[in-house]
Amino acid sequence: MILFDWCSICSLAQVIYGPLSDRFGKYRVITLCTLASSLACLGCALAQHACRRGYSAIYQRVPRLQEELRIRHGSGTFGKWLIQLARTDVLLLDDWGMGAIDSMTRSDLLEIIDDRAGNKATIITSQLPVEHWHAWVGDATIADAILDRLLQHHHRFTLTGDSLRTEQAKTMKKEKNKPPS
């Protein structure tokens, strides 16, 4: 059962990354939409396409990032992890703006993004419109710095339509109600 056209997603990834391949690291791809499942699929497809072209990628859900950062600071591995993130070709930050962040996470996010700005690609998936990111970050100075670095060279995609989860539920319901043959 195919719920979305994977070839179309991969074609879109080629359209996005194809012309940018010589300058791959200079761009941030920001995907926005009101459909969580479609958004995550597109972000992952873009990261997977980069991997197939020989680039490295890391996926991180932002709501879980706060705990990850606390653990890394506590174990003394934060500095090493920052270097690893800075060297990774593509960083996918999924569910940006889904929950509140504390001051330490704000500062760490700035460090992560600053290390990558202009050098490596960062894909951000968010249901929160860019206009509300400043308020989500919570500190005007840090928000300005993060947004300045992210929005320098970026491509923005706004997705609309039915959620993949809704379509999947409809398909499963039809199959359930179908009389046995």
Side-chain angles (χ1 to χ4, degrees):
M1 168 176 28
I2 297 175
L3 298 175
F4 63 95
D5 185 354
W6 184 255
C7 293
S8 295
I9 298 287
C10 290
S11 295
L12 178 59
Q14 285 181 318
V15 167
I16 294 167
Y17 284 130
L20 305 178
S21 60
D22 293 338
R23 301 175 306 181
F24 183 84
K26 304 267 188 226
Y27 290 88
R28 262 93 22 230
V29 177
I30 300 173
T31 58
L32 303 171
C33 117
T34 58
L35 312 171
S37 59
S38 303
L39 188 64
C41 286
L42 178 58
C44 288
L46 291 171
Q48 185 181 70
H49 180 75
C51 288
R52 289 181 182 191
R53 294 187 66 157
Y55 295 103
S56 59
I58 291 179
Y59 170 91
Q60 180 70 55
R61 284 195 66 243
V62 175
R64 293 184 183 158
L65 182 63
Q66 213 160 224
E67 184 63 26
E68 178 77 25
L69 292 168
R70 273 192 221 107
I71 291 168
R72 297 235 179 235
H73 279 290
S75 66
T77 60
F78 177 71
K80 212 178 205 180
W81 192 58
L82 264 183
I83 293 168
Q84 179 187 358
L85 289 177
R87 291 181 179 161
T88 302
D89 295 312
V90 179
L91 174 62
L92 171 54
L93 296 173
D94 191 19
D95 290 335
W96 179 273
M98 290 292 285
I101 57 173
D102 60 24
S103 61
M104 183 190 280
T105 303
R106 278 192 285 273
S107 299
D108 290 344
L109 260 179
L110 175 58
E111 288 300 314
I112 291 166
I113 290 166
D114 186 54
D115 287 350
R116 303 180 58 73
N119 298 315
K120 301 292 181 180
T122 304
I123 300 171
I124 296 177
T125 62
S126 179
Q127 294 182 52
L128 185 67
V130 173
E131 299 78 38
H132 299 284
W133 287 11
H134 208 275
W136 172 71
V137 171
D139 178 293
T141 306
I142 292 176
D144 285 342
I146 288 173
L147 293 175
D148 179 58
R149 284 154 180 80
L150 285 175
L151 301 178
Q152 279 177 7
H153 304 284
H154 75 283
H155 296 277
R156 186 182 310 176
F157 300 92
T158 303
L159 307 178
T160 58
D162 293 334
S163 168
L164 294 178
R165 290 184 183 109
T166 303
E167 290 300 315
Q168 183 180 23
K170 286 178 187 176
T171 304
M172 290 176 72
K173 189 175 181 179
K174 282 181 189 176
E175 286 177 6
K176 251 186 181 178
N177 294 335
K178 193 162 120 179
S181 36

